[in-house]
Amino acid sequence: GAGVSQTPSNKVTEKGKYVELRCDPISGHTALYWYRQSLGQGPEFLIYFQGTGAADDSGLPNDRFFAVRPEGSVSTLKIQRTERGDSAVYLCASSLSYNSPLHFGNGTRLTVT
Amino acid sequence: EDQVTQSPEALRLQEGESSSLNCSYTVSGLRGLFWYRQDPGKGPEFLFTLYSAGEEKEKERLKATLTKKESFLHITAPKPEDSATYLCAVQAHTGNQFYFGTGTSLTVIP
């Protein structure tokens, strides 16, 4: 079956602009996670959804970051007033339940110029 | 604080030269320890889950083991296609987050 799909695969934006990153999880997976990965680092937790609700958003760095999952499937990560420090690969992962292994997409590489 | 440390940061092996990667962890009640493989430009690919000390899992040339403080990923007779970054992650009973280490970059030379 289809895996986790993330679009776009690459996004270049100017400092101060708004961006949206999309994640299509594996069908039937109720848990969805966003992670951020910088070069040479492991994935860093941002937010976790169980169904439609954000069960844990403690990893969001500040209020410029926001994520939604309105129908319990597709999720969008939104970043306002982007800064150069936001440049990274944003990874989305889904799982059958909260304690099942994560299945990752290939990420969106965000570059803020 | 829940924490994962992986060593070495990088490892170069000759084809056929077996070795082990280490993942040390500190977690308030381990729910599971997970190993992933990540190729350049790709997302991490799930390999194994280990839940309790003494547990072992195998897949082809890879074998993962778990103690109360660390996990090892043993690579037997590696091939060049095993070259990748191997990530370890833990999940605690008290939360839903997966905490990742910084990975071991493995290069297998033909």
Side-chain angles (χ1 to χ4, degrees):
Chain A
V4 177
S5 176
Q6 291 189 246
T7 53
S9 56
N10 280 283
K11 177 71 177 178
V12 180
T13 191
E14 293 180 348
K15 178 176 179 294
K17 298 289 188 182
Y18 168 84
V19 296
E20 290 189 351
L21 313 180
R22 177 187 167 106
C23 172
D24 269 285
I26 294 172
S27 178
H29 281 196
T30 60
L32 186 145
Y33 293 76
W34 284 98
Y35 278 80
R36 178 168 71 174
Q37 188 175 28
S38 300
L39 194 62
Q41 300 297 311
E44 175 192 18
F45 171 77
L46 294 177
I47 188 169
Y48 157 65
F49 288 89
Q50 181 59 45
T52 59
D56 183 351
D57 64 358
S58 63
L60 294 178
N62 51 59
D63 61 7
R64 294 187 299 106
F65 289 75
F66 189 71
V68 296
R69 194 187 185 197
E71 297 178 357
S73 180
V74 170
S75 177
T76 305
L77 178 66
K78 308 180 181 195
I79 311 175
Q80 298 178 322
R81 303 183 304 279
T82 52
E83 300 177 358
R84 294 196 180 88
D86 298 335
S87 297
V89 175
Y90 289 81
L91 293 166
C92 176
S94 68
S95 66
L96 273 174
S97 66
Y98 68 96
N99 61 345
S100 299
L102 298 179
H103 297 272
F104 284 87
N106 285 330
T108 294
R109 180 174 299 277
L110 176 66
T111 304
V112 182
T113 62
Chain B
E1 180 179 309
D2 299 337
Q3 203 167 318
V4 177
T5 304
Q6 292 189 246
S7 62
E9 288 186 10
L11 182 62
R12 288 172 65 90
L13 298 173
Q14 291 289 333
E15 185 171 1
E17 179 187 1
S18 301
S19 188
S20 296
L21 314 182
N22 178 263
C23 171
S24 298
Y25 64 90
T26 304
V27 66
S28 51
L30 180 71
R31 176 180 285 154
L33 184 141
F34 304 81
W35 281 97
Y36 287 84
R37 169 192 171 126
Q38 187 171 27
D39 292 295
K42 303 289 187 182
E45 175 189 350
F46 171 68
L47 293 173
F48 303 110
T49 307
L50 301 166
Y51 293 105
S52 57
E55 190 174 358
E56 299 182 351
K57 294 272 179 74
E58 284 190 69
K59 180 180 179 180
E60 296 181 357
R61 295 176 293 282
L62 300 177
K63 179 180 176 181
T65 62
L66 180 65
T67 73
K68 289 186 178 180
K69 293 184 179 181
E70 58 193 349
S71 176
F72 292 93
L73 186 64
H74 307 277
I75 304 177
T76 302
K79 298 182 177 182
E81 53 262 41
D82 295 323
S83 297
T85 295
Y86 290 85
L87 294 164
C88 170
V90 298
Q91 188 185 39
H93 279 295
T94 54
N96 302 296
Q97 295 183 28
F98 292 74
Y99 294 91
F100 282 82
T102 54
T104 293
S105 176
L106 174 67
T107 304
V108 182
I109 304 159

